[in-house]
Amino acid sequence: MTLIEQAAKRLEELRRAGAATADDAPAAEEATDNREGQQERLPTPEAAVRGLEARVPTPKVTPAHAPVVTTRPADAGLIRREPAPSGQTRRVEIDLESLKRRGFVTPDAPKSQIAEEFRVIKRPIIRNAHGPSGTRSAKGNLVMVTSALPREGKTFTAVNLAMSVAMEVNTTVLLVDGDVAHPDLPSLLGVPSAPGLLDVLTRDDIDIGDVLVRTNIDNLMVLPTGAQHRRATEVLASEQMTKVLRELASRYSDRIIIFDSPPLLATTEARVLASQMGQIVMVVAADSTRQQTVNLALSTIENCDMVMMMLNKASQTDVGAYYGYYAGDDAR
Ligand SMILES: Nc1ncnc2c1ncn2[C@@H]1O[C@H](COP(=O)(O)OP(=O)(O)OP(=O)(O)O)[C@@H](O)[C@H]1O
Ligand SMILES: [Mg+2]
């Protein structure tokens, strides 16, 4: 299939899913992916789609600390139909010094400004997931981090949120790489990209316990995307995915499960995932994403009644460069 045919196919998918159309030129104009410092303007939805199709997948890098298989038993707290073939859970050493240098929250810097900001952001999320039964929502522990457009800071937010929640006493976090077409966690955290979620959903011989990755942060585990699958959208929308999410949410309700996700206006996967989530953190790049674009993205997730808007990359605010606030009636 040529690139143009692929773009036409993607456009058709987006139209069917109710996304940007030719009438939405302002939103599409903003679909500028600054990856690798390129400032490519994409004036039409068609061009935006072509740009997105052309995005180079994150290369699998060999982490500074190669994944180590330990002799620890497979995670006893997650879905298991039968013992993992190897009986072992993979483990990676996240390079915390490198993350800290790049401005991320790390457990050994609990008083940094970024840590303080995420402390504020995580509170309502934890309350909605684990609060007293009156305030707790069903599947409230499934938290998706998304945005309208690419490069607004979803992965930055998802990782920081996961780090921050993992620093809580008695709270464990599962960080899921839900950006199946363009996983960011392998290069950032040094986790392998496969096997992972897509393998669990497409293979009978693999289950969640086989693909979880432990980390050097005791309360933090990672679920990679898994091997690339050409029908990833359908797989994420499958009954099997609903089953896996339902089990994650209910049987392991003591865990906060954070999904790093694709942008809502660029892929159908994000909307499929959103429909299954208890809470959504909508990252908005300050001073660059138009309100009309944000509104369009919000309209695609209106079925989720807990949406937290988070302004990212703000240059100057009263509360610092980064803050969160609740939108809608569900603020508690
Ligand atoms: N608040 C912030 N402070 C400093 N750097 C940030 C901030 N937010 C994002 N960044 C940086 O901006 C870049 C893009 O962020 P990120 O990768 O999180 O975006 P994304 O929305 O996940 O992108 P994609 O759509 O490609 O997955 C990264 O280099 C990230 O480290
Ligand atoms: Mg990302």
Side-chain angles (χ1 to χ4, degrees):
M1 202 186 288
T2 67
L3 193 60
I4 290 173
E5 285 167 338
Q6 285 176 29
K9 184 165 167 275
R10 173 58 98 192
L11 259 183
E12 188 50 37
E13 281 176 17
L14 287 170
R15 285 205 179 94
R16 272 205 300 269
T21 67
D23 297 334
D24 183 42
E29 278 173 18
E30 293 180 1
T32 304
D33 189 347
N34 292 339
R35 190 176 308 277
E36 314 300 351
Q38 292 164 6
Q39 295 288 335
E40 186 189 2
R41 292 298 294 176
L42 303 167
T44 65
E46 284 77 2
V49 169
R50 277 201 302 279
L52 291 164
E53 294 289 348
R55 289 163 75 197
V56 183
T58 306
K60 281 186 205 167
V61 298
T62 306
H65 304 278
V68 179
V69 176
T70 71
T71 53
R72 266 175 133 154
D75 175 47
L78 279 172
I79 302 165
R80 170 150 303 286
R81 291 192 289 270
E82 55 190 19
S86 63
Q88 296 175 333
T89 302
R90 295 173 295 169
R91 186 177 189 278
V92 294
E93 289 284 321
I94 296 173
D95 187 343
L96 297 175
E97 278 307 311
S98 159
L99 280 187
K100 192 158 51 176
R101 278 197 302 276
R102 295 161 77 171
F104 283 80
V105 176
T106 55
D108 61 339
K111 298 282 182 204
S112 65
Q113 185 183 331
I114 191 84
E116 292 299 332
E117 287 159 2
F118 272 91
R119 209 187 305 282
V120 172
I121 292 164
K122 75 180 168 184
R123 288 281 161 241
I125 293 174
I126 294 175
R127 201 159 51 237
N128 286 324
H130 291 158
S133 52
T135 59
R136 196 187 308 163
S137 98
K139 63 180 182 179
N141 60 329
L142 299 184
V143 182
M144 174 182 183
V145 179
T146 190
S147 64
L149 303 173
R151 308 300 283 168
E152 296 202 63
K154 296 174 294 298
T155 301
F156 184 84
T157 301
V159 169
N160 278 325
L161 191 57
M163 288 283 178
S164 186
V165 176
M167 286 156 65
E168 292 277 307
V169 180
N170 295 334
T171 308
T172 49
V173 184
L174 174 59
L175 177 60
V176 182
D177 199 340
D179 196 346
V180 291
H182 180 69
D184 280 335
L185 298 187
S187 56
L188 191 59
L189 301 184
V191 294
S193 59
L197 179 61
L198 289 173
D199 303 289
V200 174
L201 297 171
T202 54
R203 289 176 52 178
D204 286 340
D205 59 332
I206 296 187
D207 73 21
I208 293 273
D210 299 327
V211 297
L212 290 180
V213 181
R214 288 189 183 278
T215 71
N216 45 332
I217 298 170
D218 282 348
N219 294 350
L220 176 66
M221 295 186 90
V222 179
L223 174 56
T225 51
Q228 291 291 309
H229 197 283
R230 66 192 168 80
R231 293 167 62 88
T233 305
E234 288 87 340
V235 171
L236 288 183
S238 67
E239 183 53 32
Q240 178 67 359
M241 177 69 172
T242 306
K243 220 165 84 186
V244 166
L245 289 175
R246 202 182 296 134
E247 284 204 52
L248 284 172
S250 61
R251 195 187 303 179
Y252 309 107
S253 55
D254 59 329
R255 231 170 259 237
I256 305 254
I257 304 161
I258 298 172
F259 291 76
D260 183 22
S261 312
L264 286 164
L265 298 184
T267 68
T268 46
E269 290 92 344
R271 271 161 277 167
V272 170
L273 263 181
S275 67
Q276 315 244 28
M277 295 291 136
Q279 303 187 58
I280 295 179
V281 177
M282 171 92 164
V283 180
V284 178
D287 307 325
S288 71
T289 308
R290 295 183 190 180
Q291 186 170 355
Q292 186 185 358
T293 306
V294 176
N295 289 343
L296 183 61
L298 285 173
S299 71
T300 68
I301 53 171
E302 58 194 5
N303 288 340
C304 181
D305 49 29
M306 290 218 205
V307 178
M308 182 187 205
M309 302 284 290
M310 210 189 76
L311 196 60
N312 189 24
K313 305 185 187 178
S315 48
Q316 285 268 312
T317 76
D318 290 343
V319 291
Y322 204 122
Y323 68 90
Y325 63 91
Y326 238 128
D329 297 330
D330 291 286
R332 293 188 220 276

